[in-house]
């Protein structure tokens, strides 16, 4: 539940006190956070694979666990974009969201952080 601060006191807002604009802003932040997480985890996954391919890290159990964890986080975010919840709070096409981020990640060059 949303909280507001007033004179160093926390005041809980009731759902009935939320304005339409406030609800829209909240929805936008929720979707934006999911987009940022999807982008971040996708780039981390690409960087991890690049490091393993170039011999900077071993493909050991720790690598496999991190690889699976990143894939799991990507899956969770992708699943959110196609969820009923997301369709209720966002009018963007989930395919467009995923394709746009995936295109950005394709252009991402993990080697640039080592130059």
């Amino acid at each position: 539940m949303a909280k507001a601060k007033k004179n160093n006191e926390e005041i809980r807002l009731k759902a009935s006190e939320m304005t339409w604009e406030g609800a829209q802003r909240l929805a936008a932040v929720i979707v934006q956070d999911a987009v940022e997480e999807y982008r971040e985890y996708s780039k981390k996954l690409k960087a991890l694979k690049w490091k393993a391919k170039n011999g900077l890290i071993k493909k050991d159990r720790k690598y496999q666990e991190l690889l699976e964890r990143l894939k799991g986080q990507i899956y969770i975010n992708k699943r959110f974009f196609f969820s009923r919840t997301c369709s209720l709070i966002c009018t963007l096409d989930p395919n467009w969201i995923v394709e746009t981020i995936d295109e950005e990640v394709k252009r991402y060059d993990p080697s640039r952080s080592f130059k």
Side-chain angles (χ1 to χ4, degrees):
M1 194 177 285
K3 292 182 183 178
K5 284 195 172 186
K6 185 177 182 180
N7 300 330
N8 295 329
E9 293 179 34
E10 287 188 8
I11 301 170
R12 287 198 173 272
L13 298 175
K14 296 177 184 172
S16 62
E17 296 173 327
M18 182 175 279
T19 64
W20 179 249
E21 180 184 350
Q24 287 179 315
R25 287 181 180 203
L26 177 60
V29 169
I30 291 168
V31 175
Q32 183 179 359
D33 283 351
V35 165
E36 291 300 322
E37 283 183 10
Y38 184 78
R39 178 184 292 121
E40 176 187 344
Y41 290 126
S42 295
K43 286 182 176 180
K44 283 182 178 182
L45 179 64
K46 185 172 183 176
L48 180 68
K49 289 179 177 181
W50 181 86
K51 288 176 185 177
K53 180 181 175 185
N54 289 286
L56 299 173
I57 58 173
K58 295 179 187 176
K59 289 186 177 180
D60 57 4
R61 187 171 57 103
K62 185 177 175 182
Y63 165 81
Q64 291 297 330
E65 288 172 358
L66 183 55
L67 187 74
E68 292 306 312
R69 198 171 324 126
L70 289 171
K71 286 180 180 180
Q73 290 297 326
I74 291 166
Y75 174 77
I76 288 168
N77 282 281
K78 188 182 279 191
R79 197 173 76 196
F80 170 73
F81 297 133
F82 291 93
S83 72
R84 186 168 190 273
T85 301
C86 189
S87 69
L88 290 172
I89 65 173
C90 176
T91 59
L92 295 174
D93 176 20
N95 289 305
W96 178 83
I97 295 171
V98 171
E99 289 169 9
T100 301
I101 298 169
D102 288 348
E103 283 299 317
E104 179 184 332
V105 172
K106 279 183 188 176
R107 292 187 304 271
Y108 170 68
D109 182 5
S111 68
R112 294 186 80 197
S113 61
F114 290 94
K115 292 181 181 178

